Amino acid sequence: MNKRKQRVLLISGIVHFIILQTLEVACGIAADKGVKVHGYDLNGVSGILVSVTSLLFIVLTCIVGREGLIASYVMCLLAILLMLRAVIFMKDNTALAGITNIIICCLSLSIINYQLKKREKESVSDLLTGNGNRRGMLRELRDRTEKKDPFYLLQLDVDDFKVINDNRGHKFGDAVLICVSERIREILGESAKIFRPGGDEFVIFLPDTDYLGEIMEKMIDSIRRPMMIEVGGEKSKCLITVSIGAVHYPDDADQGEQLLKYADIAMYQAKRTGKNQSYLFDSAMEKELLQKAKLQERIKTNLENGGFYMVYQPQYEMGTKKLRGFESLLRFWSQGEDKVSIGELIAVAETSDQILKIDEFVLRSVMEQFAGTLNHLKEPITVSVNVSAKNICRLGFAEMVIDTLKQTGFPAHCLEIEITEYCLAKALDIAMINISKLKEYGVCLALDDFGTGYASLSYLSKLSIDLLKIDKSFVDAIGEGVKNDGFITAVIQIGHLNECKVISEGVETQEQMSFLEREGCDYVQGYFWGKPVPFDEAQRVALGFAK
C-alpha cells in the first residue's frame, strides 16, 4: 500500500475513533440515567465499543505502520483519560474494565509492532549474507530516486560461479558468497548499502564520489586474494575474480529500471573483455548488447534449423606430405551481405551455455560424417575437434564424448580433442578428470594456441598431450625477427622433450614451410598445402591417400 492510501486510512481511523468514543460516552450517560434499549443495559454496549476500538488500533498498526502505531498510542491515551473521567467524576467503576482492556491493547500493539518489524527486516534481508535482498534493493532504489540525490549503483558478479557450484557443491558456493560479501563490506564500510538480489550477484549503492575507479579496483583486488573456505570441517583454498558494472544517477539514467539495466550492461562489458575488471556505463555498451542479443538469436536459429555445417582442413606430415588427418571447422550459411564471422558467433556463444550446444553439434556431426570412412581406411587418420573451455571444465563432458563415440561407431583412436591453454588456467582439476577419462578410452589430445599466455610449462608434464599446436600469430611473424623465430624453435623443442608431436597452423608461404621443416616441426596445416573443404572433398582426399 502506498503512502497516500496509508494516510487516507489513518485519517479514516481517527474519524472512526472519534465516532466510537462519542457513542461510548453517550452510552455511559444513558446507562447512568437507567435508559435501556429493548430491555438491554447500555453498559454492555460500552464494552463492545471498547473492543471495537481496540480492533481499530490493531488494524491501524498492522496496515499503516509506524504512523498508525503512534496514532493508536495517542488515541489509547485519550480513551483512558475519558474512562478515568467516568470513574473519578461519575463514580462509574464499570469503566475500569474498559481501561484494563485498552492497557492490554497497548501492550498487544507493542508486541505486534515488534513482530512486524522483525518480519519486515527478514522480508528485505538475504538470509545467507545478511545483506539486503531483491525486495530491499528495489525499495532502496525507489527511495533514492524519489530523493533525487546523486549516487552510483554498482552491479558485482562472481566470475564463473556456476563452475564452483557444479564442481564443489552449493555449500562451498554459499561459503564463497559469504566471504565475498565480507570483503566488500571491509572495503566500503557503512557508507554503502549492499544487496544480494540472487545467485552470485551483488548490487551496491554508493554515495556520489570522485574516487569510484579506485573504490572498484580495491574491491576487485580484495576479492581476488586467496580465500580459505571451510565446508564440513575441511578447509580448501579458492581463487575467484569478480566483474563490476557501474552507473550514475542521474547522469546515466533517472529511472530505477534503467539504472539496473545499464549497470548490468556495464558488468557484461567487464566480463566480455576479460573479467576481473570494472566498467562505468556509456551509451555505446547498450548498442553492443543489442548486437549480442541478435547474434544469440541467430545462433539459436542456426542450431534449430541446420544453419551450421562443417568443413575440414587437411593436416600433412612435414617433408613427405603424407595426410595426417583433418581439423574440423564450424561454418554457417550466410544471409545476403553477411558481415558476421564465425569467430564473432563463437565469442558470443562462449558467454552463455550456447557454446555447449555448439560443441555437441560439432562432435556429433564430425563423428556421423567420418565414422564410415575411417572404418574403411587401411591406415588411420586423425580428425580433430575444438572444444570450449566451458565444456572441458564441466563434469560429465568425457562421458558425453564417449557416449557419442559409441552411438556413431567412430573409432576413438581417430578422434583428437583440441583444448586451449585457457582451459588449463581456468579449472585444471576438472579438465584433468575429463582428459584422463578420454585418454583411457583411446582419444587423442591436442593443445591449441600454445604460447599465447595462459598455460605454464608444468601443465605439459601433468597432461598426456599428443600434439602441440603453434599458434598462427607466431607463424605469420616468421622471418620478422630473431625473437619470434627463436620462440617457435623453443616450442618445437619443448614439445619433443615432452614426447609429443608439433604442428604449425596457418602456414601460407614457402618461407614459413622451409623454416618449420628446418627446425623440426612434425606437421603443418594451412592454405599453402590445403584450404578447408566440405566433407565430400575431405572424404575424397582421405580415400585418395589410402590407395
Side-chain angles (χ1 to χ4, degrees):
M1 185 180 292
N2 59 40
K3 289 184 178 180
R4 185 173 177 275
K5 288 183 178 179
Q6 286 180 336
R7 289 195 182 104
V8 170
L9 182 60
L10 181 59
I11 293 168
S12 175
I14 293 170
V15 171
H16 279 83
F17 169 75
I18 294 170
I19 293 171
L20 288 169
Q21 290 304 301
T22 302
L23 288 172
E24 190 177 341
V25 171
C27 287
I29 293 171
D32 288 343
K33 292 181 178 181
V35 177
K36 293 185 178 182
V37 178
H38 299 295
Y40 290 100
D41 191 343
L42 291 178
N43 281 325
V45 176
S46 295
I48 293 172
L49 293 172
V50 170
S51 297
V52 172
T53 302
S54 298
L55 180 61
L56 174 66
F57 296 155
I58 292 171
V59 170
L60 289 176
T61 300
C62 291
I63 298 179
V64 181
R66 184 171 178 274
E67 292 179 358
L69 177 68
I70 294 170
S72 296
Y73 279 148
V74 172
M75 288 187 282
C76 280
L77 181 60
L78 289 174
I80 290 171
L81 290 175
L82 287 171
M83 292 178 192
L84 282 173
R85 171 184 167 279
V87 172
I88 296 170
F89 295 107
M90 301 173 65
K91 309 301 181 182
D92 181 9
N93 291 331
T94 59
L96 291 172
I99 292 172
T100 304
N101 192 321
I102 295 297
I103 291 171
I104 291 172
C105 178
C106 286
L107 293 173
S108 300
L109 291 178
S110 297
I111 294 169
I112 290 169
N113 181 58
Y114 171 78
Q115 289 297 328
L116 286 173
K117 282 185 175 179
K118 184 180 177 183
R119 294 288 176 87
E120 177 65 17
K121 185 177 180 181
E122 289 174 354
S123 72
V124 296
S125 297
D126 171 40
L127 298 180
L128 179 66
T129 63
N131 297 314
N133 60 14
R134 181 171 181 78
R135 184 182 177 193
M137 176 201 73
L138 293 174
R139 179 181 296 180
E140 180 74 15
L141 188 58
R142 182 197 64 207
D143 292 344
R144 285 179 179 260
T145 50
E146 285 178 358
K147 288 179 182 177
K148 300 189 182 303
D149 292 333
F151 65 90
Y152 281 101
L153 187 147
L154 278 59
Q155 183 166 318
L156 180 149
D157 195 83
V158 179
D159 297 328
D160 303 314
F161 184 71
K162 188 176 183 298
V163 175
I164 295 173
N165 260 348
D166 290 347
N167 297 335
R168 299 202 179 188
H170 289 277
K171 286 186 178 180
F172 191 94
D174 287 346
V176 169
L177 292 176
I178 292 170
C179 189
V180 169
S181 174
E182 289 171 350
R183 292 191 180 185
I184 293 172
R185 179 59 69 192
E186 284 175 10
I187 297 297
L188 301 181
E190 299 302 320
S191 63
K193 292 284 186 73
I194 304 170
F195 299 85
R196 188 175 79 98
D200 59 327
E201 175 189 341
F202 291 84
V203 170
I204 303 161
F205 292 87
L206 276 180
D208 201 14
T209 175
D210 294 329
Y211 304 101
L212 177 68
E214 294 177 21
I215 293 170
M216 291 194 294
E217 193 60 35
K218 283 182 180 178
M219 282 195 287
I220 289 170
D221 288 342
S222 175
I223 293 169
R224 71 182 169 202
R225 294 197 323 264
M227 297 177 177
M228 290 304 298
I229 304 298
E230 184 174 354
V231 176
E234 293 185 6
K235 289 185 177 181
S236 57
K237 185 185 289 187
C238 181
L239 296 172
I240 65 164
T241 59
V242 295
S243 299
I244 305 175
V247 62
H248 186 267
Y249 172 89
D251 292 349
D252 297 320
D254 58 4
Q255 299 296 317
E257 209 169 296
Q258 271 187 316
L259 288 165
L260 290 172
K261 177 185 174 183
Y262 290 167
D264 187 65
I265 290 173
M267 186 271 293
Y268 163 72
Q269 180 74 1
K271 284 186 176 292
R272 191 181 69 82
T273 54
K275 305 177 182 178
N276 190 35
Q277 57 189 315
S278 61
Y279 271 87
L280 181 62
F281 173 80
D282 68 55
S283 56
M285 293 178 185
E286 188 172 18
K287 293 177 183 177
E288 288 184 21
L289 190 68
L290 290 172
Q291 176 64 10
K292 179 195 172 189
K294 289 180 182 178
L295 293 179
Q296 284 179 326
E297 183 58 33
R298 186 163 180 182
I299 292 168
K300 181 182 176 185
T301 302
N302 284 344
L303 285 168
E304 292 174 351
N305 302 324
F308 287 120
Y309 66 95
M310 304 305 302
V311 296
Y312 301 92
Q313 186 168 30
Q315 299 171 335
Y316 295 100
E317 189 177 289
M318 181 69 76
T320 66
K321 203 181 177 181
K322 179 183 177 182
L323 182 70
R324 175 188 184 265
F326 299 90
E327 179 181 6
S328 55
L329 302 167
L330 185 67
R331 297 291 184 264
F332 65 95
W333 303 109
S334 61
Q335 300 173 356
E337 295 182 4
D338 207 331
K339 295 183 179 179
V340 178
S341 69
I342 188 65
E344 289 177 276
L345 286 185
I346 294 298
V348 169
E350 285 179 337
T351 64
S352 70
D353 286 345
Q354 284 184 316
I355 192 64
L356 305 182
K357 295 178 181 178
I358 289 176
D359 279 354
E360 290 178 23
F361 168 81
V362 169
L363 280 162
R364 182 165 291 278
S365 297
V366 169
M367 292 184 197
E368 287 178 346
Q369 288 182 338
F370 264 101
T373 303
L374 295 174
N375 286 319
H376 287 88
L377 294 178
K378 293 179 180 179
E379 289 187 34
I381 62 171
T382 301
V383 183
S384 64
V385 176
N386 291 278
V387 172
S388 68
K390 268 192 174 182
N391 241 330
I392 198 69
C393 297
R394 180 172 64 95
L395 288 172
F397 169 70
E399 288 77 5
M400 184 271 288
V401 174
I402 293 169
D403 286 344
T404 310
L405 285 167
K406 290 177 180 177
Q407 291 166 14
T408 59
F410 190 99
H413 64 277
C414 293
L415 177 65
E416 184 174 73
I417 296 292
E418 284 192 23
I419 62 172
T420 63
E421 295 185 23
Y422 175 61
C423 298
L424 306 179
K426 187 178 180 184
L428 181 61
D429 50 349
I430 306 300
M432 288 279 287
I433 292 171
N434 283 318
I435 289 168
S436 177
K437 290 178 180 178
L438 290 171
K439 293 287 289 182
E440 285 176 14
Y441 199 74
V443 176
C444 300
L445 182 70
L447 184 58
D448 198 4
D449 300 337
F450 185 77
T452 53
Y454 283 106
S456 86
L457 294 177
S458 64
Y459 292 163
L460 293 178
S461 61
K462 294 177 182 178
L463 301 170
S464 299
I465 302 291
D466 297 290
L467 184 73
L468 199 62
K469 297 193 77 172
I470 299 175
D471 186 61
K472 184 180 185 299
S473 61
F474 298 114
V475 175
D476 288 343
I478 286 175
E480 294 181 3
V482 175
K483 187 176 181 181
N484 180 77
D485 292 356
F487 180 83
I488 293 175
T489 302
V491 170
I492 293 170
Q493 292 173 352
I494 289 169
H496 291 160
L497 283 170
N498 283 275
E499 300 181 347
C500 63
K501 300 293 185 179
V502 180
I503 187 170
S504 294
E505 56 183 356
V507 179
E508 298 177 355
T509 67
Q510 181 61 56
E511 180 189 4
Q512 294 168 350
M513 183 70 74
S514 300
F515 173 82
L516 292 168
E517 184 175 12
R518 186 170 63 250
E519 298 303 319
C521 186
D522 301 293
Y523 305 108
V524 292
Q525 172 186 339
Y527 278 28
F528 189 73
W529 273 357
K531 296 181 179 180
V533 294
F535 169 69
D536 291 343
E537 192 171 336
Q539 186 182 43
R540 283 196 295 272
V541 171
L543 293 173
F545 270 88
K547 291 179 180 178

